[in-house]
Amino acid sequence: MSLPITAPVAFDAVRATCAAQRDWSRAALAKLQQEAARSADTHLLRVDLPGFPGIAFYFKDEAAHPTGSLKHRLARSLFLYALCNGRLHEGQTVVDASSGSTAISEAWFARLLGLPFVAVMPACTAPRKIADVEALGGTCDLVDDPADVHARAAWHAARGACHLDQFGLAERATDWRGNNNIAESIIEQMAREPDPEPTWIVCGAGTGGTSATIGRYLRYRGLRTRLCVAEPAGSGFVHGWHTRDPQARASRPTLIEGIGRPRVESGFIFDVVDQVIEVDDADSIAAAWRLEELFGRRYGGSSGTNLVACLQLAASMRARGERGSIVSLLCDRGERYEQTLFDRDWLRARGVDPMPARARIAQCMASGNWP
Ligand SMILES: *Cc1c(COP(=O)(O)O)cnc(C)c1O
């Protein structure tokens, strides 16, 4: 007898909950749009090196975002994607697997939306990054084996958390045709330069989101610019790109955070990448030091990896008598690595001596030859 009375009541309750969720979702979307409107674009810094007359280098300063890395763009896109797919709700915990930069940006956006945030990280992540996530109100769930982060994030998701899933979704959460994505921004900022159509754009591969966005955009705009992925030697991306094998694994570990994944991530779009350059950690670290001398501030290891690849590409262009421009990224702030990549004792304990690489890089910048 109670059925005809309770059924409509329950239905109204569901409808009211849905309406409340849509209200929250609308307010959350407005907050993200306000944040985007308050943000400025990042600088494209030009560098001319004595060894490379006729070749201009440009570095997009992604460390200038409020959360200090290119992951600011990604985190904004991932929150928007989760919201617009209807899978992020008021009060819900947000989780992701991250080597640090993404976690910092996601913690920042979670705080903006008033949501609890859990970062699943390898225990070996730079202590400064862990402190940064915690300072933003996030919680760090540290796992001993870096290969376990995905499973651990899935474990949280199975308990009701919203998994932002940077590795699964980076490549599709970004609007590849425009909306001021990183590629569109670079091409716009190059418009008044002597060689506005870069010969090369160089980036690394963590989620693969940046390389996918740039590679697609270059094709979409019909540009001749080629895309080079600069990666730690022997990374999952390196092996996967050469063999087009989604099961490929890294053949050695790396000290460079943010890139050099141990496996092929689902967001790696190999077909838009024209060349891969492998860089030894000592070269990447020495190049990161060198960036401090060039720009007067510190950038992280993956920015150093990019610089080494830029120099190698420029040396080949110079050898062929070509002129033009090369664009790359300064991916994150170097302060995060004060106790690691910028600490000589820390490096010595890991058997890394960046001094020979430092001399090699200085010589290349002066002579235009990569030894
Ligand atoms: C994530 C990351 C990258 C690589 O960018 P993806 O778009 O994820 O491939 C490079 N450097 C740093 C510091 C990063 O955090």
Side-chain angles (χ1 to χ4, degrees), residues 46 48 52-56 194-195 197-200 226 313-314 316-326:
R46 178 176 168 151
D48 294 294
F52 297 100
I55 300 177
D195 291 295
E197 190 172 335
T199 305
W200 288 101
R226 282 171 290 167
L313 292 168
S316 320
M317 284 171 67
R318 183 179 167 277
R320 289 192 298 267
E322 291 173 22
R323 306 169 74 86
S325 57
I326 301 179

mmCIF file with all atom_site columns, all heavy atoms in Angstrom, residues 46 48 52-56 194-195 197-200 226 313-314 316-326:
data_model
loop_
_atom_site.group_PDB
_atom_site.id
_atom_site.type_symbol
_atom_site.label_atom_id
_atom_site.label_alt_id
_atom_site.label_comp_id
_atom_site.label_asym_id
_atom_site.label_entity_id
_atom_site.label_seq_id
_atom_site.pdbx_PDB_ins_code
_atom_site.Cartn_x
_atom_site.Cartn_y
_atom_site.Cartn_z
_atom_site.occupancy
_atom_site.B_iso_or_equiv
_atom_site.pdbx_formal_charge
_atom_site.auth_seq_id
_atom_site.auth_comp_id
_atom_site.auth_asym_id
_atom_site.auth_atom_id
_atom_site.pdbx_PDB_model_num
ATOM 1   N N   . ARG A 1 46  ? 63.518 34.403 -25.957 1.00 0.00 ? 46  ARG A N   1
ATOM 2   C CA  . ARG A 1 46  ? 64.415 34.168 -27.086 1.00 0.00 ? 46  ARG A CA  1
ATOM 3   C C   . ARG A 1 46  ? 65.866 34.123 -26.618 1.00 0.00 ? 46  ARG A C   1
ATOM 4   O O   . ARG A 1 46  ? 66.293 34.907 -25.778 1.00 0.00 ? 46  ARG A O   1
ATOM 5   C CB  . ARG A 1 46  ? 64.246 35.287 -28.116 1.00 0.00 ? 46  ARG A CB  1
ATOM 6   C CG  . ARG A 1 46  ? 65.190 35.102 -29.291 1.00 0.00 ? 46  ARG A CG  1
ATOM 7   C CD  . ARG A 1 46  ? 64.983 36.129 -30.386 1.00 0.00 ? 46  ARG A CD  1
ATOM 8   N NE  . ARG A 1 46  ? 66.121 36.036 -31.300 1.00 0.00 ? 46  ARG A NE  1
ATOM 9   C CZ  . ARG A 1 46  ? 66.079 36.317 -32.588 1.00 0.00 ? 46  ARG A CZ  1
ATOM 10  N NH1 . ARG A 1 46  ? 64.949 36.709 -33.126 1.00 0.00 ? 46  ARG A NH1 1
ATOM 11  N NH2 . ARG A 1 46  ? 67.153 36.213 -33.326 1.00 0.00 ? 46  ARG A NH2 1
ATOM 12  N N   . ASP A 1 48  ? 69.888 33.778 -28.279 1.00 0.00 ? 48  ASP A N   1
ATOM 13  C CA  . ASP A 1 48  ? 70.806 33.652 -29.417 1.00 0.00 ? 48  ASP A CA  1
ATOM 14  C C   . ASP A 1 48  ? 72.132 33.149 -28.889 1.00 0.00 ? 48  ASP A C   1
ATOM 15  O O   . ASP A 1 48  ? 72.670 33.709 -27.936 1.00 0.00 ? 48  ASP A O   1
ATOM 16  C CB  . ASP A 1 48  ? 70.977 35.012 -30.112 1.00 0.00 ? 48  ASP A CB  1
ATOM 17  C CG  . ASP A 1 48  ? 69.672 35.468 -30.755 1.00 0.00 ? 48  ASP A CG  1
ATOM 18  O OD1 . ASP A 1 48  ? 69.229 34.808 -31.699 1.00 0.00 ? 48  ASP A OD1 1
ATOM 19  O OD2 . ASP A 1 48  ? 69.093 36.456 -30.266 1.00 0.00 ? 48  ASP A OD2 1
ATOM 20  N N   . PHE A 1 52  ? 75.723 29.563 -33.056 1.00 0.00 ? 52  PHE A N   1
ATOM 21  C CA  . PHE A 1 52  ? 74.641 29.281 -34.010 1.00 0.00 ? 52  PHE A CA  1
ATOM 22  C C   . PHE A 1 52  ? 74.086 30.551 -34.667 1.00 0.00 ? 52  PHE A C   1
ATOM 23  O O   . PHE A 1 52  ? 72.917 30.891 -34.463 1.00 0.00 ? 52  PHE A O   1
ATOM 24  C CB  . PHE A 1 52  ? 73.515 28.520 -33.305 1.00 0.00 ? 52  PHE A CB  1
ATOM 25  C CG  . PHE A 1 52  ? 73.914 27.183 -32.780 1.00 0.00 ? 52  PHE A CG  1
ATOM 26  C CD1 . PHE A 1 52  ? 74.227 27.019 -31.427 1.00 0.00 ? 52  PHE A CD1 1
ATOM 27  C CD2 . PHE A 1 52  ? 73.998 26.080 -33.616 1.00 0.00 ? 52  PHE A CD2 1
ATOM 28  C CE1 . PHE A 1 52  ? 74.605 25.775 -30.930 1.00 0.00 ? 52  PHE A CE1 1
ATOM 29  C CE2 . PHE A 1 52  ? 74.368 24.838 -33.124 1.00 0.00 ? 52  PHE A CE2 1
ATOM 30  C CZ  . PHE A 1 52  ? 74.680 24.684 -31.777 1.00 0.00 ? 52  PHE A CZ  1
ATOM 31  N N   . PRO A 1 53  ? 74.915 31.253 -35.458 1.00 0.00 ? 53  PRO A N   1
ATOM 32  C CA  . PRO A 1 53  ? 74.375 32.428 -36.144 1.00 0.00 ? 53  PRO A CA  1
ATOM 33  C C   . PRO A 1 53  ? 73.273 31.981 -37.113 1.00 0.00 ? 53  PRO A C   1
ATOM 34  O O   . PRO A 1 53  ? 73.397 30.940 -37.750 1.00 0.00 ? 53  PRO A O   1
ATOM 35  C CB  . PRO A 1 53  ? 75.594 32.990 -36.889 1.00 0.00 ? 53  PRO A CB  1
ATOM 36  C CG  . PRO A 1 53  ? 76.580 31.868 -36.971 1.00 0.00 ? 53  PRO A CG  1
ATOM 37  C CD  . PRO A 1 53  ? 76.319 30.975 -35.800 1.00 0.00 ? 53  PRO A CD  1
ATOM 38  N N   . GLY A 1 54  ? 72.181 32.727 -37.170 1.00 0.00 ? 54  GLY A N   1
ATOM 39  C CA  . GLY A 1 54  ? 71.097 32.375 -38.099 1.00 0.00 ? 54  GLY A CA  1
ATOM 40  C C   . GLY A 1 54  ? 70.119 31.358 -37.544 1.00 0.00 ? 54  GLY A C   1
ATOM 41  O O   . GLY A 1 54  ? 69.134 31.016 -38.193 1.00 0.00 ? 54  GLY A O   1
ATOM 42  N N   . ILE A 1 55  ? 70.400 30.853 -36.345 1.00 0.00 ? 55  ILE A N   1
ATOM 43  C CA  . ILE A 1 55  ? 69.440 29.944 -35.708 1.00 0.00 ? 55  ILE A CA  1
ATOM 44  C C   . ILE A 1 55  ? 69.011 30.559 -34.379 1.00 0.00 ? 55  ILE A C   1
ATOM 45  O O   . ILE A 1 55  ? 69.846 30.814 -33.508 1.00 0.00 ? 55  ILE A O   1
ATOM 46  C CB  . ILE A 1 55  ? 70.049 28.541 -35.468 1.00 0.00 ? 55  ILE A CB  1
ATOM 47  C CG1 . ILE A 1 55  ? 70.487 27.925 -36.804 1.00 0.00 ? 55  ILE A CG1 1
ATOM 48  C CG2 . ILE A 1 55  ? 69.031 27.637 -34.757 1.00 0.00 ? 55  ILE A CG2 1
ATOM 49  C CD1 . ILE A 1 55  ? 71.168 26.577 -36.673 1.00 0.00 ? 55  ILE A CD1 1
ATOM 50  N N   . ALA A 1 56  ? 67.724 30.841 -34.247 1.00 0.00 ? 56  ALA A N   1
ATOM 51  C CA  . ALA A 1 56  ? 67.211 31.439 -33.011 1.00 0.00 ? 56  ALA A CA  1
ATOM 52  C C   . ALA A 1 56  ? 66.529 30.369 -32.167 1.00 0.00 ? 56  ALA A C   1
ATOM 53  O O   . ALA A 1 56  ? 65.807 29.525 -32.704 1.00 0.00 ? 56  ALA A O   1
ATOM 54  C CB  . ALA A 1 56  ? 66.229 32.557 -33.340 1.00 0.00 ? 56  ALA A CB  1
ATOM 55  N N   . PRO A 1 194 ? 61.580 36.515 -37.105 1.00 0.00 ? 194 PRO A N   1
ATOM 56  C CA  . PRO A 1 194 ? 62.129 36.380 -38.464 1.00 0.00 ? 194 PRO A CA  1
ATOM 57  C C   . PRO A 1 194 ? 61.797 35.014 -39.094 1.00 0.00 ? 194 PRO A C   1
ATOM 58  O O   . PRO A 1 194 ? 61.554 34.939 -40.295 1.00 0.00 ? 194 PRO A O   1
ATOM 59  C CB  . PRO A 1 194 ? 63.637 36.514 -38.257 1.00 0.00 ? 194 PRO A CB  1
ATOM 60  C CG  . PRO A 1 194 ? 63.819 37.133 -36.911 1.00 0.00 ? 194 PRO A CG  1
ATOM 61  C CD  . PRO A 1 194 ? 62.598 36.844 -36.108 1.00 0.00 ? 194 PRO A CD  1
ATOM 62  N N   . ASP A 1 195 ? 61.810 33.964 -38.302 1.00 0.00 ? 195 ASP A N   1
ATOM 63  C CA  . ASP A 1 195 ? 61.410 32.639 -38.798 1.00 0.00 ? 195 ASP A CA  1
ATOM 64  C C   . ASP A 1 195 ? 60.201 32.161 -37.993 1.00 0.00 ? 195 ASP A C   1
ATOM 65  O O   . ASP A 1 195 ? 60.333 31.363 -37.075 1.00 0.00 ? 195 ASP A O   1
ATOM 66  C CB  . ASP A 1 195 ? 62.575 31.647 -38.664 1.00 0.00 ? 195 ASP A CB  1
ATOM 67  C CG  . ASP A 1 195 ? 63.703 31.976 -39.625 1.00 0.00 ? 195 ASP A CG  1
ATOM 68  O OD1 . ASP A 1 195 ? 63.485 31.885 -40.846 1.00 0.00 ? 195 ASP A OD1 1
ATOM 69  O OD2 . ASP A 1 195 ? 64.791 32.363 -39.150 1.00 0.00 ? 195 ASP A OD2 1
ATOM 70  N N   . GLU A 1 197 ? 57.747 30.195 -38.585 1.00 0.00 ? 197 GLU A N   1
ATOM 71  C CA  . GLU A 1 197 ? 57.392 28.776 -38.643 1.00 0.00 ? 197 GLU A CA  1
ATOM 72  C C   . GLU A 1 197 ? 58.614 27.999 -38.163 1.00 0.00 ? 197 GLU A C   1
ATOM 73  O O   . GLU A 1 197 ? 59.583 27.837 -38.905 1.00 0.00 ? 197 GLU A O   1
ATOM 74  C CB  . GLU A 1 197 ? 57.027 28.396 -40.082 1.00 0.00 ? 197 GLU A CB  1
ATOM 75  C CG  . GLU A 1 197 ? 56.429 27.015 -40.207 1.00 0.00 ? 197 GLU A CG  1
ATOM 76  C CD  . GLU A 1 197 ? 55.897 26.749 -41.634 1.00 0.00 ? 197 GLU A CD  1
ATOM 77  O OE1 . GLU A 1 197 ? 55.558 27.720 -42.354 1.00 0.00 ? 197 GLU A OE1 1
ATOM 78  O OE2 . GLU A 1 197 ? 55.837 25.580 -42.017 1.00 0.00 ? 197 GLU A OE2 1
ATOM 79  N N   . PRO A 1 198 ? 58.601 27.508 -36.915 1.00 0.00 ? 198 PRO A N   1
ATOM 80  C CA  . PRO A 1 198 ? 59.803 26.870 -36.388 1.00 0.00 ? 198 PRO A CA  1
ATOM 81  C C   . PRO A 1 198 ? 60.216 25.662 -37.229 1.00 0.00 ? 198 PRO A C   1
ATOM 82  O O   . PRO A 1 198 ? 59.365 24.967 -37.785 1.00 0.00 ? 198 PRO A O   1
ATOM 83  C CB  . PRO A 1 198 ? 59.382 26.398 -34.985 1.00 0.00 ? 198 PRO A CB  1
ATOM 84  C CG  . PRO A 1 198 ? 58.131 27.138 -34.666 1.00 0.00 ? 198 PRO A CG  1
ATOM 85  C CD  . PRO A 1 198 ? 57.477 27.469 -35.960 1.00 0.00 ? 198 PRO A CD  1
ATOM 86  N N   . THR A 1 199 ? 61.538 25.447 -37.328 1.00 0.00 ? 199 THR A N   1
ATOM 87  C CA  . THR A 1 199 ? 62.024 24.228 -37.976 1.00 0.00 ? 199 THR A CA  1
ATOM 88  C C   . THR A 1 199 ? 61.694 23.036 -37.079 1.00 0.00 ? 199 THR A C   1
ATOM 89  O O   . THR A 1 199 ? 61.265 21.993 -37.558 1.00 0.00 ? 199 THR A O   1
ATOM 90  C CB  . THR A 1 199 ? 63.546 24.318 -38.193 1.00 0.00 ? 199 THR A CB  1
ATOM 91  O OG1 . THR A 1 199 ? 63.815 25.512 -38.930 1.00 0.00 ? 199 THR A OG1 1
ATOM 92  C CG2 . THR A 1 199 ? 64.065 23.111 -38.966 1.00 0.00 ? 199 THR A CG2 1
ATOM 93  N N   . TRP A 1 200 ? 61.888 23.222 -35.778 1.00 0.00 ? 200 TRP A N   1
ATOM 94  C CA  . TRP A 1 200 ? 61.612 22.175 -34.808 1.00 0.00 ? 200 TRP A CA  1
ATOM 95  C C   . TRP A 1 200 ? 60.876 22.729 -33.600 1.00 0.00 ? 200 TRP A C   1
ATOM 96  O O   . TRP A 1 200 ? 61.156 23.852 -33.167 1.00 0.00 ? 200 TRP A O   1
ATOM 97  C CB  . TRP A 1 200 ? 62.922 21.559 -34.271 1.00 0.00 ? 200 TRP A CB  1
ATOM 98  C CG  . TRP A 1 200 ? 63.652 20.695 -35.238 1.00 0.00 ? 200 TRP A CG  1
ATOM 99  C CD1 . TRP A 1 200 ? 64.749 21.037 -35.975 1.00 0.00 ? 200 TRP A CD1 1
ATOM 100 C CD2 . TRP A 1 200 ? 63.360 19.320 -35.556 1.00 0.00 ? 200 TRP A CD2 1
ATOM 101 N NE1 . TRP A 1 200 ? 65.155 19.971 -36.745 1.00 0.00 ? 200 TRP A NE1 1
ATOM 102 C CE2 . TRP A 1 200 ? 64.323 18.900 -36.503 1.00 0.00 ? 200 TRP A CE2 1
ATOM 103 C CE3 . TRP A 1 200 ? 62.382 18.409 -35.135 1.00 0.00 ? 200 TRP A CE3 1
ATOM 104 C CZ2 . TRP A 1 200 ? 64.329 17.609 -37.036 1.00 0.00 ? 200 TRP A CZ2 1
ATOM 105 C CZ3 . TRP A 1 200 ? 62.379 17.128 -35.668 1.00 0.00 ? 200 TRP A CZ3 1
ATOM 106 C CH2 . TRP A 1 200 ? 63.345 16.743 -36.608 1.00 0.00 ? 200 TRP A CH2 1
ATOM 107 N N   . ARG A 1 226 ? 58.625 20.385 -37.585 1.00 0.00 ? 226 ARG A N   1
ATOM 108 C CA  . ARG A 1 226 ? 58.691 19.003 -37.124 1.00 0.00 ? 226 ARG A CA  1
ATOM 109 C C   . ARG A 1 226 ? 58.753 18.945 -35.598 1.00 0.00 ? 226 ARG A C   1
ATOM 110 O O   . ARG A 1 226 ? 59.223 19.882 -34.954 1.00 0.00 ? 226 ARG A O   1
ATOM 111 C CB  . ARG A 1 226 ? 59.898 18.294 -37.746 1.00 0.00 ? 226 ARG A CB  1
ATOM 112 C CG  . ARG A 1 226 ? 59.618 17.883 -39.203 1.00 0.00 ? 226 ARG A CG  1
ATOM 113 C CD  . ARG A 1 226 ? 60.848 17.391 -39.900 1.00 0.00 ? 226 ARG A CD  1
ATOM 114 N NE  . ARG A 1 226 ? 61.770 18.482 -40.142 1.00 0.00 ? 226 ARG A NE  1
ATOM 115 C CZ  . ARG A 1 226 ? 63.051 18.305 -40.510 1.00 0.00 ? 226 ARG A CZ  1
ATOM 116 N NH1 . ARG A 1 226 ? 63.539 17.086 -40.644 1.00 0.00 ? 226 ARG A NH1 1
ATOM 117 N NH2 . ARG A 1 226 ? 63.832 19.346 -40.720 1.00 0.00 ? 226 ARG A NH2 1
ATOM 118 N N   . LEU A 1 313 ? 69.878 19.314 -32.469 1.00 0.00 ? 313 LEU A N   1
ATOM 119 C CA  . LEU A 1 313 ? 69.155 19.628 -33.706 1.00 0.00 ? 313 LEU A CA  1
ATOM 120 C C   . LEU A 1 313 ? 69.776 20.830 -34.401 1.00 0.00 ? 313 LEU A C   1
ATOM 121 O O   . LEU A 1 313 ? 69.940 20.843 -35.632 1.00 0.00 ? 313 LEU A O   1
ATOM 122 C CB  . LEU A 1 313 ? 67.676 19.912 -33.407 1.00 0.00 ? 313 LEU A CB  1
ATOM 123 C CG  . LEU A 1 313 ? 66.855 18.712 -32.931 1.00 0.00 ? 313 LEU A CG  1
ATOM 124 C CD1 . LEU A 1 313 ? 65.508 19.170 -32.392 1.00 0.00 ? 313 LEU A CD1 1
ATOM 125 C CD2 . LEU A 1 313 ? 66.663 17.703 -34.064 1.00 0.00 ? 313 LEU A CD2 1
ATOM 126 N N   . ALA A 1 314 ? 70.158 21.840 -33.606 1.00 0.00 ? 314 ALA A N   1
ATOM 127 C CA  . ALA A 1 314 ? 70.761 23.052 -34.168 1.00 0.00 ? 314 ALA A CA  1
ATOM 128 C C   . ALA A 1 314 ? 72.112 22.728 -34.801 1.00 0.00 ? 314 ALA A C   1
ATOM 129 O O   . ALA A 1 314 ? 72.448 23.256 -35.869 1.00 0.00 ? 314 ALA A O   1
ATOM 130 C CB  . ALA A 1 314 ? 70.919 24.116 -33.083 1.00 0.00 ? 314 ALA A CB  1
ATOM 131 N N   . SER A 1 316 ? 72.977 19.938 -36.218 1.00 0.00 ? 316 SER A N   1
ATOM 132 C CA  . SER A 1 316 ? 72.717 19.310 -37.528 1.00 0.00 ? 316 SER A CA  1
ATOM 133 C C   . SER A 1 316 ? 72.278 20.352 -38.543 1.00 0.00 ? 316 SER A C   1
ATOM 134 O O   . SER A 1 316 ? 72.683 20.302 -39.712 1.00 0.00 ? 316 SER A O   1
ATOM 135 C CB  . SER A 1 316 ? 71.624 18.247 -37.452 1.00 0.00 ? 316 SER A CB  1
ATOM 136 O OG  . SER A 1 316 ? 71.734 17.493 -36.316 1.00 0.00 ? 316 SER A OG  1
ATOM 137 N N   . MET A 1 317 ? 71.430 21.285 -38.120 1.00 0.00 ? 317 MET A N   1
ATOM 138 C CA  . MET A 1 317 ? 70.994 22.343 -39.057 1.00 0.00 ? 317 MET A CA  1
ATOM 139 C C   . MET A 1 317 ? 72.198 23.152 -39.522 1.00 0.00 ? 317 MET A C   1
ATOM 140 O O   . MET A 1 317 ? 72.338 23.435 -40.715 1.00 0.00 ? 317 MET A O   1
ATOM 141 C CB  . MET A 1 317 ? 69.991 23.291 -38.360 1.00 0.00 ? 317 MET A CB  1
ATOM 142 C CG  . MET A 1 317 ? 68.604 22.716 -38.191 1.00 0.00 ? 317 MET A CG  1
ATOM 143 S SD  . MET A 1 317 ? 67.550 23.763 -37.139 1.00 0.00 ? 317 MET A SD  1
ATOM 144 C CE  . MET A 1 317 ? 67.358 25.240 -38.167 1.00 0.00 ? 317 MET A CE  1
ATOM 145 N N   . ARG A 1 318 ? 73.059 23.498 -38.583 1.00 0.00 ? 318 ARG A N   1
ATOM 146 C CA  . ARG A 1 318 ? 74.241 24.303 -38.897 1.00 0.00 ? 318 ARG A CA  1
ATOM 147 C C   . ARG A 1 318 ? 75.144 23.541 -39.853 1.00 0.00 ? 318 ARG A C   1
ATOM 148 O O   . ARG A 1 318 ? 75.642 24.107 -40.836 1.00 0.00 ? 318 ARG A O   1
ATOM 149 C CB  . ARG A 1 318 ? 74.980 24.647 -37.606 1.00 0.00 ? 318 ARG A CB  1
ATOM 150 C CG  . ARG A 1 318 ? 76.183 25.550 -37.801 1.00 0.00 ? 318 ARG A CG  1
ATOM 151 C CD  . ARG A 1 318 ? 76.824 25.858 -36.467 1.00 0.00 ? 318 ARG A CD  1
ATOM 152 N NE  . ARG A 1 318 ? 78.132 26.449 -36.655 1.00 0.00 ? 318 ARG A NE  1
ATOM 153 C CZ  . ARG A 1 318 ? 79.240 25.751 -36.875 1.00 0.00 ? 318 ARG A CZ  1
ATOM 154 N NH1 . ARG A 1 318 ? 79.189 24.420 -36.920 1.00 0.00 ? 318 ARG A NH1 1
ATOM 155 N NH2 . ARG A 1 318 ? 80.385 26.360 -37.056 1.00 0.00 ? 318 ARG A NH2 1
ATOM 156 N N   . ALA A 1 319 ? 75.331 22.245 -39.614 1.00 0.00 ? 319 ALA A N   1
ATOM 157 C CA  . ALA A 1 319 ? 76.196 21.432 -40.476 1.00 0.00 ? 319 ALA A CA  1
ATOM 158 C C   . ALA A 1 319 ? 75.657 21.384 -41.907 1.00 0.00 ? 319 ALA A C   1
ATOM 159 O O   . ALA A 1 319 ? 76.412 21.279 -42.860 1.00 0.00 ? 319 ALA A O   1
ATOM 160 C CB  . ALA A 1 319 ? 76.308 20.020 -39.899 1.00 0.00 ? 319 ALA A CB  1
ATOM 161 N N   . ARG A 1 320 ? 74.320 21.479 -42.039 1.00 0.00 ? 320 ARG A N   1
ATOM 162 C CA  . ARG A 1 320 ? 73.710 21.467 -43.383 1.00 0.00 ? 320 ARG A CA  1
ATOM 163 C C   . ARG A 1 320 ? 73.560 22.878 -43.952 1.00 0.00 ? 320 ARG A C   1
ATOM 164 O O   . ARG A 1 320 ? 72.970 23.060 -45.016 1.00 0.00 ? 320 ARG A O   1
ATOM 165 C CB  . ARG A 1 320 ? 72.318 20.819 -43.308 1.00 0.00 ? 320 ARG A CB  1
ATOM 166 C CG  . ARG A 1 320 ? 72.338 19.306 -43.069 1.00 0.00 ? 320 ARG A CG  1
ATOM 167 C CD  . ARG A 1 320 ? 70.944 18.709 -43.318 1.00 0.00 ? 320 ARG A CD  1
ATOM 168 N NE  . ARG A 1 320 ? 69.946 19.264 -42.404 1.00 0.00 ? 320 ARG A NE  1
ATOM 169 C CZ  . ARG A 1 320 ? 69.625 18.712 -41.240 1.00 0.00 ? 320 ARG A CZ  1
ATOM 170 N NH1 . ARG A 1 320 ? 70.210 17.604 -40.829 1.00 0.00 ? 320 ARG A NH1 1
ATOM 171 N NH2 . ARG A 1 320 ? 68.715 19.268 -40.463 1.00 0.00 ? 320 ARG A NH2 1
ATOM 172 N N   . GLY A 1 321 ? 74.040 23.867 -43.194 1.00 0.00 ? 321 GLY A N   1
ATOM 173 C CA  . GLY A 1 321 ? 73.957 25.254 -43.653 1.00 0.00 ? 321 GLY A CA  1
ATOM 174 C C   . GLY A 1 321 ? 72.555 25.839 -43.576 1.00 0.00 ? 321 GLY A C   1
ATOM 175 O O   . GLY A 1 321 ? 72.228 26.797 -44.267 1.00 0.00 ? 321 GLY A O   1
ATOM 176 N N   . GLU A 1 322 ? 71.681 25.266 -42.708 1.00 0.00 ? 322 GLU A N   1
ATOM 177 C CA  . GLU A 1 322 ? 70.306 25.768 -42.596 1.00 0.00 ? 322 GLU A CA  1
ATOM 178 C C   . GLU A 1 322 ? 70.197 26.867 -41.539 1.00 0.00 ? 322 GLU A C   1
ATOM 179 O O   . GLU A 1 322 ? 70.927 26.872 -40.567 1.00 0.00 ? 322 GLU A O   1
ATOM 180 C CB  . GLU A 1 322 ? 69.367 24.629 -42.162 1.00 0.00 ? 322 GLU A CB  1
ATOM 181 C CG  . GLU A 1 322 ? 69.149 23.561 -43.200 1.00 0.00 ? 322 GLU A CG  1
ATOM 182 C CD  . GLU A 1 322 ? 68.347 22.379 -42.641 1.00 0.00 ? 322 GLU A CD  1
ATOM 183 O OE1 . GLU A 1 322 ? 67.631 22.542 -41.629 1.00 0.00 ? 322 GLU A OE1 1
ATOM 184 O OE2 . GLU A 1 322 ? 68.486 21.287 -43.214 1.00 0.00 ? 322 GLU A OE2 1
ATOM 185 N N   . ARG A 1 323 ? 69.253 27.780 -41.770 1.00 0.00 ? 323 ARG A N   1
ATOM 186 C CA  . ARG A 1 323 ? 68.906 28.775 -40.770 1.00 0.00 ? 323 ARG A CA  1
ATOM 187 C C   . ARG A 1 323 ? 67.497 28.468 -40.282 1.00 0.00 ? 323 ARG A C   1
ATOM 188 O O   . ARG A 1 323 ? 66.832 27.624 -40.858 1.00 0.00 ? 323 ARG A O   1
ATOM 189 C CB  . ARG A 1 323 ? 68.946 30.174 -41.398 1.00 0.00 ? 323 ARG A CB  1
ATOM 190 C CG  . ARG A 1 323 ? 70.252 30.487 -42.085 1.00 0.00 ? 323 ARG A CG  1
ATOM 191 C CD  . ARG A 1 323 ? 70.139 31.748 -42.916 1.00 0.00 ? 323 ARG A CD  1
ATOM 192 N NE  . ARG A 1 323 ? 70.105 32.950 -42.090 1.00 0.00 ? 323 ARG A NE  1
ATOM 193 C CZ  . ARG A 1 323 ? 71.194 33.588 -41.664 1.00 0.00 ? 323 ARG A CZ  1
ATOM 194 N NH1 . ARG A 1 323 ? 72.388 33.138 -41.978 1.00 0.00 ? 323 ARG A NH1 1
ATOM 195 N NH2 . ARG A 1 323 ? 71.090 34.673 -40.929 1.00 0.00 ? 323 ARG A NH2 1
ATOM 196 N N   . GLY A 1 324 ? 67.052 29.177 -39.256 1.00 0.00 ? 324 GLY A N   1
ATOM 197 C CA  . GLY A 1 324 ? 65.680 28.951 -38.809 1.00 0.00 ? 324 GLY A CA  1
ATOM 198 C C   . GLY A 1 324 ? 65.517 29.111 -37.320 1.00 0.00 ? 324 GLY A C   1
ATOM 199 O O   . GLY A 1 324 ? 66.378 29.679 -36.646 1.00 0.00 ? 324 GLY A O   1
ATOM 200 N N   . SER A 1 325 ? 64.401 28.604 -36.815 1.00 0.00 ? 325 SER A N   1
ATOM 201 C CA  . SER A 1 325 ? 64.118 28.743 -35.387 1.00 0.00 ? 325 SER A CA  1
ATOM 202 C C   . SER A 1 325 ? 63.775 27.388 -34.777 1.00 0.00 ? 325 SER A C   1
ATOM 203 O O   . SER A 1 325 ? 63.247 26.498 -35.454 1.00 0.00 ? 325 SER A O   1
ATOM 204 C CB  . SER A 1 325 ? 62.961 29.725 -35.178 1.00 0.00 ? 325 SER A CB  1
ATOM 205 O OG  . SER A 1 325 ? 61.818 29.303 -35.888 1.00 0.00 ? 325 SER A OG  1
ATOM 206 N N   . ILE A 1 326 ? 64.131 27.252 -33.496 1.00 0.00 ? 326 ILE A N   1
ATOM 207 C CA  . ILE A 1 326 ? 63.826 26.047 -32.729 1.00 0.00 ? 326 ILE A CA  1
ATOM 208 C C   . ILE A 1 326 ? 63.117 26.488 -31.448 1.00 0.00 ? 326 ILE A C   1
ATOM 209 O O   . ILE A 1 326 ? 63.604 27.382 -30.750 1.00 0.00 ? 326 ILE A O   1
ATOM 210 C CB  . ILE A 1 326 ? 65.106 25.268 -32.360 1.00 0.00 ? 326 ILE A CB  1
ATOM 211 C CG1 . ILE A 1 326 ? 65.860 24.856 -33.630 1.00 0.00 ? 326 ILE A CG1 1
ATOM 212 C CG2 . ILE A 1 326 ? 64.774 24.049 -31.506 1.00 0.00 ? 326 ILE A CG2 1
ATOM 213 C CD1 . ILE A 1 326 ? 67.161 24.103 -33.356 1.00 0.00 ? 326 ILE A CD1 1
#
